[in-house]
């Protein structure tokens, strides 16, 4: 039975090519991906089906960019002994940051009632108080 390595598959080869292209740009790729995560969360300030789906798609692209940059950065700055620990730390920080950002948005939207009596179907934006903006 023949055992295939990751580099023998098509996806493994493209991952190796992408990581080698990003070598040296790992931090920039992670920053770009993180910015697209932030854009997704910020899109909830203006709820609209077009902006939601556009930002959700961009968050998917940001996810790919972030983790490709993460792999390149990890390859640059980790040894065999520390690669697993460093990978787990970055993954947990990214997941908890996204969850915390969503929690802040949820708290900000629940703490203040809507500013006018318009039905929810006609209102296309939400006004935030100064305290909510400071919380975010």
């Amino acid at each position: 039975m023949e055992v295939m390595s990751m580099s023998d598959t098509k996806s493994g080869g493209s991952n190796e090519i992408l990581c080698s292209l990003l070598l040296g740009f790992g931090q920039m790729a992670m920053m770009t991906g993180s910015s697209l995560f932030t854009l997704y969360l910020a899109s909830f300030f203006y709820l609209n089906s077009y902006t939601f789906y556009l930002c959700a798609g961009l968050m998917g692209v940001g996810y790919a960019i972030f983790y490709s940059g993460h792999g390149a950065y990890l390859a640059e700055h980790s040894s065999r002994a520390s690669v697993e620990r460093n990978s787990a730390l970055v993954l947990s920080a990214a997941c908890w940051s996204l969850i915390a950002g969503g929690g802040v948005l949820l708290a900000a939207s629940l703490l203040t009632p809507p500013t006018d009596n318009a039905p929810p179907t006609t209102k296309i934006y939400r006004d935030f108080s100064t305290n909510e903006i400071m919380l975010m």
Side-chain angles (χ1 to χ4, degrees), residues 43-65:
S43 72
F44 288 101
F45 290 128
Y46 180 75
L47 288 178
N48 182 325
S49 62
Y50 298 114
T51 57
F52 173 75
Y53 289 115
L54 175 69
C55 291
L58 288 174
M59 189 179 92
V61 171
Y63 187 81
I65 291 171

Side-chain angles (χ1 to χ4, degrees), residues 70-71 73-91:
H70 166 252
Y73 189 77
L74 195 65
E76 286 179 50
H77 299 285
S78 295
S79 66
R80 282 192 184 271
S82 66
V83 70
E84 292 175 359
R85 178 195 54 146
N86 293 346
S87 181
L89 286 173
V90 170
L91 179 63

Side-chain angles (χ1 to χ4, degrees), residues 1-24:
M1 182 168 138
E2 182 180 341
V3 178
M4 292 180 64
S5 70
M6 187 67 159
S7 62
D8 292 337
T9 63
K10 289 182 182 179
S11 64
S14 64
N15 286 341
E16 288 176 1
I17 292 170
L18 184 59
C19 281
S20 64
L21 288 175
L22 287 174
L23 202 60

Side-chain angles (χ1 to χ4, degrees), residues 79-127:
S79 66
R80 282 192 184 271
S82 66
V83 70
E84 292 175 359
R85 178 195 54 146
N86 293 346
S87 181
L89 286 173
V90 170
L91 179 63
S92 64
C95 290
W96 282 110
S97 296
L98 194 60
I99 291 170
V104 168
L105 287 175
L106 178 65
S109 65
L110 292 177
L111 291 177
T112 303
T115 56
D116 63 347
N117 294 328
T121 57
T122 61
K123 191 172 181 180
I124 61 170
Y125 66 93
R126 185 178 187 285
D127 294 326

